[in-house]
């Protein structure tokens, strides 16, 4: 048994399995990430969605009413890889991609002992947070001001809460394909943890 | 040298020319056009055609209209504009010139 969703694709209604939906969403997001120009992008995506709707239509009938993940995989093979579709161009400089933002210092909520300050500094300079923690401990015991610096940083450095902020913290460009990859990684992590706990 | 990449680049260059050529013989909707180009093995994956159509439309070479269809939702029919015809004529003559030059080098 699987949960299905109802979607409107190219003005047609389809029932689609949840995993198939996620795959399709991810695929369309990746295509979108390759086109910088807003008007151009919406035209291209709507044309592609219409074609996918047409291909879906050929794959459903009275006996098979739901789009399954194999259908989506087959269709992404027919339509081609997003890189191929765009002819290898990257929407790196677009307003949409927002990738021109420089790396920023955030507190890393996924890698913290107290407030994630050391984890964030580690991400910023691309070094192991453990080294930062040792340095903080040394200046705490050696000079007595380490704790004060830590608390000040805890207060003034924002925490990376959203996916975009986490990408910014790592210095990865914030665009559709990166967000897609990041969300997928997170999802896989959660799934793995869950399975591990079940054992 | 990546042979597949070279092939893809060659195809991509002539694809725009071929889209205009096919449309000069009559209006078509994207899937018709796709089948025609797939028949002659000009495109491998379908997705590549949509950015080209959109760019040619934005450049004023193509126009489109919606037409009812007996099966499924309305279809988007592409047609060549006057400007598209001019560009096609120009491309045809440069294509002929290109073939001659390439042949003269390859068959030396």
């Amino acid at each position: 048994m699987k949960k299905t969703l109802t979607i409107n694709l190219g003005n047609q209604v389809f029932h689609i399995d949840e995993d198939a939906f996620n795959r399709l969403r991810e695929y369309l997001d990746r295509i979108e990430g390759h086109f910088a120009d807003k008007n151009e992008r919406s035209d291209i995506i709507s044309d592609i969605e219409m074609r996918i709707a047409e291909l879906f239509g050929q794959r459903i009938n009275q006996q098979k009413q739901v789009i399954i993940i194999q259908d989506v995989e087959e269709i992404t093979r027919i339509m081609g890889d997003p890189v191929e579709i765009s002819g290898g161009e990257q929407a790196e400089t677009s307003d949409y991609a927002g990738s021109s933002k420089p790396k920023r210092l955030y507190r890393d909520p996924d890698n913290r002992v107290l407030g994630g300050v050391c984890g964030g500094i580690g991400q910023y300079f691309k070094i192991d947070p453990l080294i930062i923690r040792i340095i903080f401990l040394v200046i705490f015991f050696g000079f007595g001001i380490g704790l004060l610096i830590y608390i000040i940083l805890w207060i003034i450095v924002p925490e990376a809460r959203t996916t975009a902020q986490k990408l910014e913290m790592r210095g990865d460009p914030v665009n559709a394909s990166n967000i897609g990859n990041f969300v997928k990684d997170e999802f896989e992590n959660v799934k793995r943890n869950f399975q591990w706990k079940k054992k | 040298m990546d042979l597949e990449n070279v092939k893809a680049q060659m195809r991509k260059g002539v694809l725009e020319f071929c889209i205009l050529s096919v449309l000069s013989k009559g209006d078509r909707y994207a899937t018709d056009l796709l089948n025609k180009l797939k028949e002659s093995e000009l495109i491998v994956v379908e997705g590549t055609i949509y950015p080209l159509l959109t760019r040619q439309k934005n450049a004023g070479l193509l126009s489109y209209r919606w037409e009812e269809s007996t099966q499924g939702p309305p279809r988007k029919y592409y047609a060549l504009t006057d400007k598209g015809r001019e560009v096609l004529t120009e491309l045809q003559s440069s294509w002929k010139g290109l073939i001659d030059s390439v042949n003269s080098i390859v068959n030396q």
Side-chain angles (χ1 to χ4, degrees), chain A residues 132-157:
Chain A
I132 313 277
R133 288 190 184 113
I134 291 168
I135 295 172
F136 263 102
L137 282 177
V138 167
I139 47 178
F140 175 55
F141 288 113
F143 309 96
I145 51 164
L147 189 65
L148 190 67
I149 295 173
Y150 189 91
I151 289 168
I152 291 169
L153 284 173
W154 196 345
I155 294 166
I156 62 171
V157 177

Side-chain angles (χ1 to χ4, degrees), chain A residues 10-12 34-35 37 39-41 43-44 46-48 50-51 54-55 76-81 84-89, chain B residues 9 12 29-31 34-35 38 44-55 57-58 64 66 72-76 78:
Chain A
N11 291 327
Q12 282 183 277
H34 279 280
F35 294 98
D37 187 280
N39 297 323
E40 200 178 270
R41 184 173 59 231
D43 274 351
I44 294 168
S46 92
D47 278 2
I48 288 178
M50 292 246 305
R51 177 59 179 155
E54 196 177 36
L55 292 168
T76 55
R77 267 199 302 278
I78 293 173
M79 298 304 286
D81 191 79
E84 255 175 295
I85 292 176
S86 66
E89 86 177 82
Chain B
Q9 292 294 332
K12 199 186 155 200
Y29 99 107
T31 306
L34 266 175
N35 291 337
K38 269 197 336 206
V44 184
V45 291
E46 294 194 356
T48 43
I49 198 176
Y50 298 101
L52 296 178
L53 284 174
T54 298
R55 274 168 204 159
K57 185 202 81 191
N58 290 347
Y64 69 85
W66 292 96
R75 292 168 170 180
K76 202 176 183 178
Y78 283 95

Side-chain angles (χ1 to χ4, degrees), chain A residues 161-177:
Chain A
R161 285 211 180 86
T162 66
T163 304
Q165 286 171 337
K166 284 180 186 173
L167 285 169
E168 246 184 299
M169 174 176 76
R170 293 178 184 188
D172 291 337
V174 183
N175 57 33
S177 67

Side-chain angles (χ1 to χ4, degrees), chain A residues 3 15 19-20 29 31 59 79 98 115-116 127-128 133 138 143 149 166 172 178:
Chain A
K3 192 171 152 194
H15 296 292
D19 53 353
D29 283 348
I31 296 178
R59 280 162 182 78
M79 298 304 286
I127 38 179
D128 192 336
R133 288 190 184 113
V138 167
F143 309 96
I149 295 173
K166 284 180 186 173
D172 291 337
N178 265 341

